[in-house]
Amino acid sequence: MQSFTQLPGHRPAPTLVAVGHGSRDPRARATLARLLDRVRELRPRLDVRLAHIELNAPLLDDTLTALAAEGREAVLVPLLLAPGYHVTHDLPAALAAVPGLRARAAAPLGPHPLLVEALADRLAEAGWTPADSASAATGVVLASAGSRDPRSAATLRRIAAALGDRLGGVPVVAAYASAAAPTVPEAVAALTARGRHRVAVASCFTAPGLFAARAAAHAPWIAADPLGAHPALARLVLHRYDGAARARTGSPATPARELAAI
């Protein structure tokens, strides 16, 4: 497949700016740094930088200003799972504030089969087994941050449905830590009312933080870790980057069959 280490005409490929939300949890920045180390291993010559919308340095505004001063181009890859205020407002506003920078924002990470792969693996690491997939007593709550943007909830429902298919038809209910319903406890109660008494919580968060910890605390059975530096997530970051870079250069799209090689 075509990768964007170097663009046609020998121009350097745009810098990949991975944009995290930011967190007061010190593990969050370290986790995202490990994820980007995996991205660099997959694309060694690509300039990959981490930036945050708030709370942690480097902040996105500072990173974009530095790239403009360096004369670089950039593709912003939000380390966020669904559309919401940060994706639809904060990222475009940050780009508009640096008019001298040639840049564009990629799509959020979900929905995508690579994301579902990472979610399923994290559940398996927490103790989910093939027998659980075949059981009539199990269910899964897909926990995420939440947003008032209806497109976010629609995306999380698609991810939940895909995860349920991946797990062999187990019911998966999307739930939210804030701004949307149902909450994780409400989703657990809904599954229990359907006879699903062994409920796992899948963590649809890229890194540890307050919301991820709260969601895990409500798990009546097992709780998966955040996605973190999962290899499939690193491949997905590059897939989103390449898609945005192709859109900028007018290169042909990558066939779906090539995703396994990303």
Side-chain angles (χ1 to χ4, degrees), residues 33-111:
R34 288 194 297 271
L35 172 62
L36 296 192
D37 284 343
R38 284 194 180 273
V39 171
R40 295 183 185 100
E41 290 170 2
L42 292 169
R43 197 74 61 83
R45 291 182 292 169
L46 181 62
D47 182 17
V48 178
R49 308 188 192 188
L50 175 62
H52 302 88
I53 294 170
E54 60 184 9
L55 297 175
N56 298 126
L59 291 172
L60 178 58
D61 292 346
D62 296 336
T63 298
L64 297 182
T65 299
L67 286 168
E70 295 169 26
R72 298 299 305 267
E73 297 182 42
V75 170
L76 277 57
V77 179
L79 300 180
L80 303 167
L81 285 306
Y85 188 82
H86 297 307
V87 172
T88 61
H89 178 271
D90 288 340
L91 267 61
L95 291 175
V98 191
L101 177 67
R102 294 183 61 190
R104 66 183 299 129
L109 298 179

Side-chain angles (χ1 to χ4, degrees), residues 198-218:
R198 284 165 59 83
V199 179
V201 172
S203 184
C204 204
F205 298 93
T206 53
L210 178 62
F211 286 164
R214 284 180 178 173
H218 291 300

